[in-house]
Structures are given as C-alpha cells and as structure tokens.
Amino acid sequence: MAVNGAPKRLLLLDPSRAMLERGRACLRGLGVEPVLIQSMLGDTVLEPAHEALAAHILEYCPDPAAALTQIRDTLRPGGRLYLVVSKPHLCNAIISLQWRHRTFGRAEILTLVHEGGFAVEGSYALPSGPPSRTSMDYAQSARIDPSTAALVS
C-alpha cells in the first residue's frame, strides 16, 4: 500500500471470525475496509482476483497442493500469488509442538507451487529478525503458468 496505495477491494478469507476481526482492525488503521468472508478455502465461491496473498496458510492445509490449486482457480488469467511459507528451522520445530504446523524445504515448495499451476519467478529471503530464520517469501514470485492454468477469460 505504501507504493501503490490502498486497494479498491480487499477480501479477507479465514475460517476464524476472531482472525477476520483482527485483520479488519489492522487494515482499518491503514484506511482500508476489507470484505470479510468466514470460510475455508474451497468452501465458498469467490470472484476472480488479480492477486492473492497466502502468508503461512499452506502450513496448516492437509493437502497443500490442493490448496494451491484452489488459490490458482480464484485468480484471473495472469494473476499473481504472493506466498510466504515456514522453512525448516529449530524455531519452527518448537512452534510446531504448539500449533502443529509443517515447514517446507525450498525444493518441496517449488515443486508444490509448480504442480499447483504457477510459474515461480524468484524468491526473497527475509533479511533480519525471526522471519529471516523461519520464513521464506515467494511473494512477487508466482504467476499463473498458462500451460497448466484451467482459467478462461
């Protein structure tokens, strides 16, 4: 938002009402009023979007490949997925004891993203703080691969 300004429309999708309300409160502080959708991915029909952000979502999905396909199917042709996932690290091993999430090695997530119908353009290693040790950012990196996308204009 600092570069491009506030989006015209922003949907927040989460099964937890409490998390949706927290997201709304944060975004309102930035002058954005999101549309809240309390649902699991794949359980609701969404209008096609130009961009999707999945930050630490795949770690909790029983079938990450299916989740990526569902995200792809919500995007317009040429749409982009901004993806952040947990990478293997001692800190994440401790976190998984509490929250039961998983991590993804670089080769594994790149394979899943490709199988989900995306072409990876690059990745970004977060430069400092705990995220530099626990997360890998594929934001600005995944674009629908026309050879595998099931979308039509």
Side-chain angles (χ1 to χ4, degrees):
M1 285 191 291
V3 174
N4 298 315
K8 293 179 180 152
R9 188 157 191 249
L10 178 71
L11 305 178
L12 292 183
L13 175 73
D14 198 284
S16 165
R17 190 76 193 166
M19 289 304 292
L20 288 169
E21 292 299 337
R22 287 185 73 186
R24 180 195 321 235
C26 290
L27 289 165
R28 278 184 173 165
L30 298 171
V32 176
E33 185 60 42
V35 175
L36 305 183
I37 303 170
Q38 187 174 354
S39 179
M40 293 290 290
L41 181 65
D43 290 348
T44 189
V45 176
L46 300 171
E47 292 180 31
H50 295 285
E51 298 173 318
L53 167 65
H56 299 292
I57 302 298
L58 293 184
E59 290 90 323
Y60 300 95
C61 294
D63 186 347
L68 283 164
T69 299
Q70 290 171 336
I71 293 169
R72 184 206 64 214
D73 290 347
T74 67
L75 291 171
R76 295 179 185 274
R80 295 177 73 84
L81 167 63
Y82 296 87
L83 179 65
V84 180
V85 295
S86 296
K87 62 184 179 181
H89 187 274
L90 177 61
C91 293
N92 279 326
I94 295 167
I95 292 167
S96 72
L97 294 174
Q98 169 77 26
W99 300 107
R100 304 285 184 241
H101 85 294
R102 59 175 297 172
T103 61
F104 297 95
R106 180 176 174 76
E108 179 184 16
I109 194 63
L110 291 176
T111 297
L112 283 169
V113 167
H114 178 74
E115 289 174 354
F118 293 93
V120 176
E121 298 168 353
S123 63
Y124 177 74
L126 301 164
S128 63
S132 69
R133 295 181 289 282
T134 60
S135 301
M136 188 60 164
D137 182 359
Y138 296 90
Q140 80 256 0
S141 66
R143 180 184 304 250
I144 292 178
D145 181 347
S147 68
T148 60
L151 297 174
V152 293
S153 299

